[in-house]
Amino acid sequence: MARSSHPHIVFAVSDGTGTTAERVTRAALTQFPQDVEVRRIGEVRTVEQVREVVQEAAHARAIIVHTLVSADLRQAMFEEGRRHHVHTLDLMGPLLERLSDLLGTPPLAQPGLYRMEDFNRRIEAVDFALRHDDGRNAEELVHAEIVLVGVSRTGKTPLSVYLAYRGWLVGNVPIVLGVNTPAVLSRLPPERVIGLTVDPVRLAQLRQARVRRISQLVSDYADLHHVRAEVVYALDLFHRHGWRVVDMTSKPVEEAAAEVVALVTGRSLEQKD
């Protein structure tokens, strides 16, 4: 039998953004060699919108994969799909019903809650990063998922905030030559602590630029010999505690963040989203 030349199309439909429906569909499609077009259709929140989507799918000879949380919309999708001979696959309904049985309570059926929880998580994480910047509230770092340590100007704060925006609970602690680090660091799992370092010459340049802006800094703050001693001291500290190291020299914050997450968890930065 000859293969159909008509392109395969899947509508990923949701009453939210449609991201989950699309991701699940694309993940499943990796198991098939055919080229399939996935069209994401979000914010479907009325029966009339469901009808329009099904009619469009019928015209395109597409199938529909959806994550509608409303029971009424799921039922409408089923009925309209049957009426227009469109195959529809409900990803959310069976899961919601099973969870309802297990938890003994009905689902809220409110679209967009996952997105709101993600937003709230990011707000919480950014607040945590700001409250635990530069060694503040160090005893609370037991609640951190990632703790960045390093001498001054190794990029601890911007990296902390970037990771926090991606949903990670991050704190950072400065390493000062000859000064003991907070005791809490020795109680943390070593894989949760990441040491940041920068090439001494580059670090001295960064500090010289800061000295020009802040005249109150100590005289040897940007001195290359002193900077080298600080970097060596910090690297020795990292080694003794078994903390992994990320070299921040000329490294964009996005790249550094991905490296940090990979070291801490063994997976990519995107997998937190």
Side-chain angles (χ1 to χ4, degrees):
M1 180 181 295
R3 292 181 59 186
S4 170
S5 61
H6 194 279
H8 298 285
I9 303 174
V10 177
F11 283 13
V13 180
S14 174
D15 41 19
T17 63
T19 302
T20 300
E22 181 182 15
R23 285 181 175 176
V24 171
T25 300
R26 292 191 183 281
L29 288 173
T30 60
Q31 302 300 315
F32 300 90
Q34 293 94 333
D35 290 330
V36 179
E37 177 186 351
V38 180
R39 299 181 188 175
R40 185 171 71 184
I41 303 174
E43 306 297 333
V44 176
R45 300 191 177 183
T46 67
V47 172
E48 182 57 37
Q49 286 177 304
V50 169
R51 293 194 184 105
E52 292 174 359
V53 168
V54 173
Q55 290 171 10
E56 184 180 350
H59 184 265
R61 296 172 61 183
I63 68 171
I64 294 176
V65 174
H66 65 90
T67 55
L68 300 169
V69 298
S70 164
D72 291 340
L73 294 185
R74 294 201 305 273
Q75 183 62 27
M77 181 67 77
F78 173 76
E79 293 175 355
E80 290 298 315
R82 186 168 56 179
R83 180 176 296 117
H84 292 277
H85 307 289
V86 173
H87 292 290
T88 63
L89 178 60
D90 181 1
L91 296 179
M92 189 64 71
L95 178 60
L96 290 175
E97 291 173 6
R98 181 60 178 152
L99 289 174
S100 180
D101 291 340
L102 289 172
L103 301 175
T105 183
L108 295 175
Q110 296 178 16
L113 287 183
Y114 177 81
R115 190 171 28 163
M116 182 57 69
E117 289 176 2
D118 179 61
F119 174 77
N120 289 337
R121 164 73 179 188
R122 293 176 192 235
I123 293 298
E124 175 192 356
V126 171
D127 177 68
F128 186 93
L130 296 178
R131 287 189 294 107
H132 299 88
D133 182 45
D134 205 31
R136 287 183 292 180
N137 304 305
E139 286 303 310
E140 297 178 5
L141 289 176
V142 292
H143 304 296
E145 296 171 306
I146 300 172
V147 178
L148 305 176
V149 295
V151 300
S152 176
R153 307 308 287 173
T154 50
K156 298 185 298 298
T157 295
L159 184 53
S160 293
V161 173
Y162 182 86
L163 286 165
Y165 176 72
R166 301 304 295 267
W168 296 92
L169 296 180
V170 186
N172 71 78
V173 176
I175 301 298
V176 180
L177 184 63
V179 177
N180 292 331
T181 55
V184 66
L185 292 181
S186 62
R187 302 199 301 268
L188 296 177
E191 64 271 13
R192 215 187 295 176
V193 183
I194 299 295
L196 304 183
T197 190
V198 172
D199 176 79
V201 174
R202 175 59 180 159
L203 186 56
Q205 293 171 345
L206 293 171
R207 290 187 177 187
Q208 289 163 8
R210 192 181 187 197
V211 166
R212 288 192 289 269
R213 299 193 307 270
I214 307 174
S215 58
Q216 296 94 334
L217 294 172
V218 294
S219 58
D220 61 353
Y221 176 75
D223 176 74
L224 181 57
H225 294 292
H226 180 79
V227 171
R228 288 187 192 277
E230 282 191 278
V231 170
V232 170
Y233 172 77
L235 289 173
D236 178 66
L237 189 67
F238 302 161
H239 177 73
R240 284 190 282 114
H241 284 278
W243 298 333
R244 272 80 62 86
V245 180
V246 171
D247 189 341
M248 300 289 290
T249 307
S250 302
K251 185 171 291 180
V253 67
E254 298 89 349
E255 181 181 340
E259 187 174 343
V260 167
V261 171
L263 287 174
V264 171
T265 68
R267 51 195 173 94
S268 68
L269 181 64
E270 288 71 20
Q271 287 178 275
K272 185 70 173 180
D273 294 343

